Amino acid sequence: MSASIGWFRDGLRELGYIEGENILIEERYADAELDRLSSLAAELLRLKVEVVVTAGTPGVRAWTKVTKTIPIVFVGAGDPVASGIVASLARPGGNVTGISQFGPELGGKRLEILKEAFPKVTRVAYLWTPDLLGSASGLRGSEIAAPALGVKLQSLPVRTSNDIDGAFAAALKERAQALTAQTAPILNTYKKRVIEFAAKHRLPAIYNQAEWAEAGGLMSYGPNPRDQLQRVAIFVDKILKGAKAADLPVEQPVKFEMVVNLKTAKQIGLTIPANVLRWADEVIK
Amino acid sequence: MQTLRSLIENPKAAPRTKIQNGAGRGHLLRYYFLISGLLVAGGLLTSALVEVYYRLHESRETLAQLQKEAAATAAVKIEKFIQDVETAMRSAAKGLDVDRQSAADSKFELKRLLFLAPAISEAVLIAADGREQLRLSRLAVAATRSEKTLADSPAFQHAKNGQSYFGQVYLVRGSEPYITMAVPIEEFKGTIAGVLQSEVNLKYVWDVVSAIKAGKAGYAYAVSRSGDLIAHPEIGLVLQGRNVAELEQVRAAFRPLTGDPRRSLTTARNLRAQAVISSFALIPRLDWAVFIERPASEAYEALYASLVRTSALLLIGLGMAILASYFVARRVMGPLRILEQGSERIASGDLKFRVDLKTGDEMETLAEKFNRMASALQESYANLEEKVAERTRELANANRMLDEASRHKSAFLASMSHELRTPLNAIIGFSEVLLDPSLTVSDDERSQFMTDVWASGKHLLSLINEVLDLAKVESGTMELQFEPAFLQDVFESVQHTMRALAGKKSIDLRVENDESLEQISMDGARVKQVLLNLVGNAIKFTPDGGRVWVKAQRETGRVRVEVGDSGPGIAAAEQERIFQEFQQVESSAKGKPEGTGLGLALAKKFVEMHGGEIWVESEVGRGSRFFFTLPMS
């Protein structure tokens, strides 16, 4: 997430905030250890923060446990309504608002892109984290889209770091032909391992964050993160100027990017067809 | 003076004079100050008010104009955005062949459309009968040949007729504003083979709208006919599906055009109930209205600033005008007061008082003239006094002269009566003796007495003649008979008459004739009388054996006659006196002299009546020379 905060800072700067002069940013990272989130939140609370920015639903949860008044702006929550962190997208209602991520539907879209690039794929391994609220609906979204695409999903739930290897083994056992994964803190921590696994077994993979593709994943399709974090900065600005989180509707991303890592493709020995590559928004060579 | 003073000092006590061509006493300063102050103030105020009124009017007009243009420009931008999407769709439609194309090719076309128009999040290819052929989405999986029919949808029906369709705003998931757009797919012009429909995310319009700025805090927003917000700088409002039909300006925009189109500049309230200046422009194709709104305070800022400036200037101007009027009035009043006081003092008699006023203007001139007037007054007063003194002196003189004359007359009368009585007494006396039978008088005595009576009578006669002559001359009734005559004839006559008298005293009487002298216009008898008197005097006063002469000398335009003697002379002090009536030379040797003392006076009168002069040149012990002149013409 380190790049993200850079974009966030850029966004703030564009709005006239200069760190040290009129704004202070306190960063804390849980590094996929969800338990730590609560204590980090409490710590920041003691520092008397005025606005909170957090990525992902778990972060929001940790915060809403410790405060019902300090405004919380989230980014990257897949389905905020389903996960219960907001009452509705138009009127969040509480002290939480932010930018969602179109979790459920995008899953299907990703599968579609995967299938387009690799038409022969029929079995796709799907890594997800059941403990994360909203992630189940994400899986469901992909499961609904799969049959029409002629694809069968293999659900691989991951709860702890121990589960990763097991998941990999299960995928191999079922002879998965491709890989996809949800965004989740725990999976983020093991990004490298997942990517390496896919590479090792020459599995085409599509992820939902450009970061993964940049890190070596084959493809990604998801909202433009820079765009999102600049929108977060605008939220923060509005709140600092007096707007209530309850009145600020949750925004949904409008720009989606497809990123293709040709270097990885070459390494793995996979070929991305031209008619898919043509539409890539970013190609890593 | 007292009344005036009290009036000035106590104006309330004074009867009020009407303020027509001046102020009541003592109010001049206030009056002029007020008048000039009011005039200037009135002028300034009027000009300021007129200025302000017109500027307000102009500013409103200008503002209206500017904002209207800004709204039109914003509308153009928004319309362009939508039109660009439409153009992309039409372009895609050209590449779509509903019936004969492969799914892959159609997919490619739609993918390209999605690439060209980021605002489109979903594109649908619809066959001529309304069935969905292909659906491509950024978010969802593509769908092909669903049995869904869209034949009844307004989008399809509209596009089927060959026209682009722009639908109403709807919200996805309750928070995303979209409109449906549709364009016909034509095999060739006029033949509709299908419809291309897309869902357009209006958040992209938000980008356009946010970028539109009006002044410092102005903004633009777009609204559909139903009042639904299409785009607004506060995207939250749009995402909440806010309907703004309650705003007056929104209702007014969609009302059919009535009345004055210029009235598009309205002051209204915005969603935050702030007062704003609102202008709009319509996008008829989409049936949208685009508004430009600026906070009223900001819009009028410049105007208020200039109003404040004008007011401040006005106040300053007024202040200066008042000060100026005051000082000007004072500048006039001060000198006026000084002059007033000066007049008072002079009127009270202090003629030496002068006003000291050095103002370097007309007031100073006036003061100078005032001082000159005072000086003239002082002078004429002094002159008057002098004149009075003179007149008094003259009067005293005249009185003295009158007294003297009266004394002379008394003296004359006294002398006269004596002189007259003396011969009369002699005549009466001698007559009485001659008539007294008791007295015996010898013939010689009788003869002597008769001679005395005759002499006395003659003396009395000459006396009376002289007195009468004098009286005539003095009363102005003496008339001279002017005739041309020879002076030498008169000389001869005189010489003849005086010879005997001169012989008696053995006085040498010489009369020189000048044969060359022509005739002179004169009263011969009177001139003879003058000569007789002069010569008679000369003989009388010259001792025995002396000399007496008469000469005539020609001078320019006149003849000078001289009668001289070798007598005792006449003292300078007597020389003027002797020409006066009843004046005779004091002669202690002889006692009271003979004669009336009238002879010289008469002579002087006669000479002067001829237009000549008479005078004497004499020194005591050196004889006398009497001169008189007669004009020749």
Side-chain angles (χ1 to χ4, degrees), chain B residues 27 46 105 123 383 465 467 472 486 564 606 611:
Chain B
H27 288 303
T46 310
D105 288 339
N383 267 359
N465 278 339
V467 169
K472 253 195 183 171
F486 283 104
F606 285 143

Side-chain angles (χ1 to χ4, degrees), chain A residues 113-185:
Chain A
I113 293 171
L114 191 64
K115 183 76 179 174
E116 240 184 285
F118 304 99
K120 297 218 181 70
V121 165
T122 53
R123 291 184 300 278
V124 179
Y126 186 101
L127 286 168
W128 63 293
T129 53
D131 285 339
L132 205 59
L133 271 169
S135 55
S137 67
L139 170 67
R140 196 157 29 254
S142 297
E143 280 177 340
I144 290 168
L149 294 165
V151 153
K152 189 159 167 286
L153 278 185
Q154 181 187 6
S155 151
L156 297 170
V158 171
R159 285 192 174 79
T160 65
S161 55
N162 299 332
D163 297 336
I164 296 250
D165 291 323
F168 289 162
L172 286 172
K173 187 158 160 247
E174 293 295 316
R175 288 179 296 118
Q177 291 163 315
L179 183 70
T180 185
Q182 271 182 356
T183 318

